[in-house]
Amino acid sequence: MRVDELPTPALTVDLEALERNLDRMASYCREQGLRLRPHTKTHKTPELARMQLERGAAGLTVAKVGEAEVMACTEPEEILVAYPIYGAEKLRRLAALARVRRILMSLDSEITARELSAAAQAQGVTFGVLVEFDAGLHRCGLQTGPACVELAQSICRLAGLKFRGLMTYPGNIWGTERERTEEVQRVAEAVQKVLTAFECARIPVEIVSAGSTPSAFLSHKIPGITEIRPGTYVYNDLNTCYQGLCQLEDCAARVVATVVSTAVPGRAMIDAGSKTLSSDLLGSGPKQGYGLVVEAPEVKLFKLNEEHGHLDLSGTDRRFRVGDRLTIIPNHVCVCVNLQDEVFLVRHQEVIGSWRVAARGKIR
Ligand SMILES: Cc1ncc(COP(=O)(O)O)c(C=O)c1O
């Protein structure tokens, strides 16, 4: 089947762009001596995780226990759950998984560490643990080096847990190249302070996990980090593109949609709304609209209902007709993927297969 025969709306993945994105990140990490532990929250697809592992990824990252359960089938060397998991049922499932796969957890409180230790002891397993610190995003993570040392010491005393190192999510590295470069400096200082506290306390730190897509290729400017966890880079999206991190042709995941109504003057409606694209606004570049119309970038996708995408035609001479097919690059690809049952794989405009988005909706 050709792409223009696919029933719409459909999320397509251009395999050549995807392979280029995977190769670029894998070779950067190899050159810099950094381990790559990609976050699978973007693609949620074991087949793609396998492609990452084949290119040398040192394990996988997930946010949810359900994602870890899905990704376990790819047999990664280790799964990092980069989220402070709390709750007996989830910890029981995680401990069950730890019987067959090596699991590394991140956390930033003694309460979470104690619960994790109890779950580990109940099933006779051991979790590796990373202490999360805040390098400027102000989302999760302890605020000072000494606070991290104190939590690491508690972890060392808890049965079923092994302190392995530190984690931070540098989501504050975002924006133009200048903004990102300035923020990298602040993150580097925060990392250094925490590492110094561990040196003073003579506690060895095996892993320092950082990284995201906007910060990925600046990681060599943060001394001390041992691995990065970018996720979005596999597909890229409009947010990545407007930060200058990739070109439009590197946006591998695109929604194919059909014009279903032109009855209202100056408007055209497409069959991709918020249930396909998500309502996430653009956080970079013009910070407006719900995606880029590839065939007519001057046309604004300015509003979404659940099943309708509203196009404003005031800035174009192009005539739109019911049945026209358009390609949309989503603002934020992770949430868009999470709305799809499957993605369609495209090579040279031919649909050559599909992947089930097996970890979609795994929010627990
Ligand atoms: C803890 C953590 N690590 C890594 C990532 C990957 O970041 P990105 O999608 O920008 O590559 C995320 C994304 O939200 C995250 O929350």
Side-chain angles (χ1 to χ4, degrees):
M1 186 193 284
R2 290 188 58 79
V3 175
D4 51 23
E5 294 164 336
L6 259 183
T8 64
L11 184 62
T12 59
V13 170
D14 182 273
L15 288 172
E16 284 193 9
L18 168 66
E19 286 159 3
R20 244 187 355 259
N21 297 340
L22 294 176
D23 289 341
R24 183 175 170 223
M25 190 64 75
S27 54
Y28 170 78
C29 288
R30 239 187 335 269
E31 279 158 24
Q32 299 298 333
L34 285 164
R35 284 159 69 91
L36 175 60
R37 201 193 299 254
H39 208 309
T40 58
K41 66 180 213 93
T42 302
H43 57 72
K44 296 172 177 287
T45 308
E47 289 87 341
L48 212 169
R50 282 199 189 95
M51 290 171 82
Q52 294 174 307
L53 293 167
E54 278 161 20
R55 285 167 170 78
L60 299 173
T61 302
V62 300
K64 302 290 182 172
V65 180
E67 291 174 350
E69 289 166 339
V70 169
M71 291 302 161
C73 70
T74 65
E75 302 186 12
E77 163 187 330
E78 186 174 59
I79 299 177
L80 166 61
V81 184
Y83 195 91
I85 301 291
Y86 186 87
E89 190 268 350
K90 287 185 285 185
L91 291 173
R92 218 173 11 250
R93 282 162 52 208
L94 212 48
L97 194 60
R99 287 164 172 260
V100 290
R101 292 278 170 269
R102 250 172 60 197
I103 306 286
L104 185 61
M105 304 288 301
S106 74
L107 51 83
D108 64 1
S109 78
E110 187 160 346
I111 298 176
T112 310
R114 286 190 181 283
E115 294 287 315
L116 188 62
S117 163
Q121 287 177 76
Q123 298 198 46
V125 296
T126 301
F127 290 108
V129 181
L130 302 182
V131 168
E132 182 169 1
F133 67 98
D134 179 12
L137 180 63
H138 308 321
R139 184 174 75 176
C140 287
L142 293 170
Q143 299 296 302
T144 65
C148 292
V149 167
E150 201 180 310
L151 182 54
Q153 285 166 336
S154 301
I155 289 164
C156 293
R157 286 191 294 268
L158 287 168
L161 305 189
K162 183 172 178 353
F163 171 74
R164 306 243 338 254
L166 297 161
M167 186 191 97
T168 193
Y169 174 54
N172 45 317
I173 299 176
W174 176 271
T176 61
E177 191 175 348
R178 199 166 139 233
E179 286 167 333
R180 283 183 289 114
T181 308
E182 281 172 14
E183 207 57 35
V184 162
Q185 199 46 44
R186 281 192 275 274
V187 169
E189 283 162 22
V191 170
Q192 211 40 59
K193 277 190 188 154
V194 176
L195 285 177
T196 305
F198 278 81
E199 265 165 43
C200 295
R202 297 190 200 291
I203 299 176
V205 176
E206 175 198 340
I207 298 169
V208 181
S209 182
S212 61
T213 296
S215 68
F217 296 109
L218 296 167
S219 299
H220 57 284
K221 299 193 173 188
I222 309 175
I225 65 174
T226 62
E227 65 170 47
I228 59 171
R229 312 178 307 275
T232 305
Y233 79 99
V234 294
Y235 290 149
N236 290 312
D237 55 23
L238 219 47
N239 270 326
T240 326
C241 208
Y242 280 132
Q243 290 179 81
L245 297 159
C246 72
Q247 304 297 314
L248 276 184
E249 62 262 29
D250 304 319
C251 293
R254 297 166 180 224
V255 170
V256 182
T258 303
V259 174
V260 290
S261 172
T262 56
V264 177
R267 301 275 186 262
M269 293 298 139
I270 54 172
D271 58 1
S274 59
K275 281 183 174 167
T276 302
L277 290 162
S278 92
S279 305
D280 263 35
L281 287 167
L282 192 59
S284 60
K287 297 192 180 172
Q288 278 177 358
Y290 291 94
L292 182 87
V293 183
V294 176
E295 293 80 0
E298 73 283 9
V299 168
K300 303 248 176 309
L301 178 52
F302 72 100
K303 179 175 165 179
L304 299 181
N305 300 130
E306 287 172 55
E307 312 295 358
H308 298 78
H310 296 233
L311 299 181
D312 171 4
L313 308 182
S314 60
T316 189
D317 294 332
R318 189 187 156 118
R319 298 286 295 275
F320 284 78
R321 294 179 55 228
V322 169
D324 284 351
R325 292 169 71 94
L326 297 172
T327 314
I328 314 294
I329 299 181
N331 287 347
H332 183 184
V333 72
C334 314
V335 282
C336 176
V337 170
N338 191 46
L339 296 168
Q340 320 296 322
D341 279 335
E342 72 256 280
V343 294
F344 296 93
L345 309 177
V346 175
R347 220 183 260 286
H348 309 304
Q349 294 305 306
E350 276 296 321
V351 180
I352 60 163
S354 66
W355 286 331
R356 197 165 75 82
V357 184
R360 74 163 288 203
K362 300 287 182 201
I363 57 170
R364 284 181 288 280

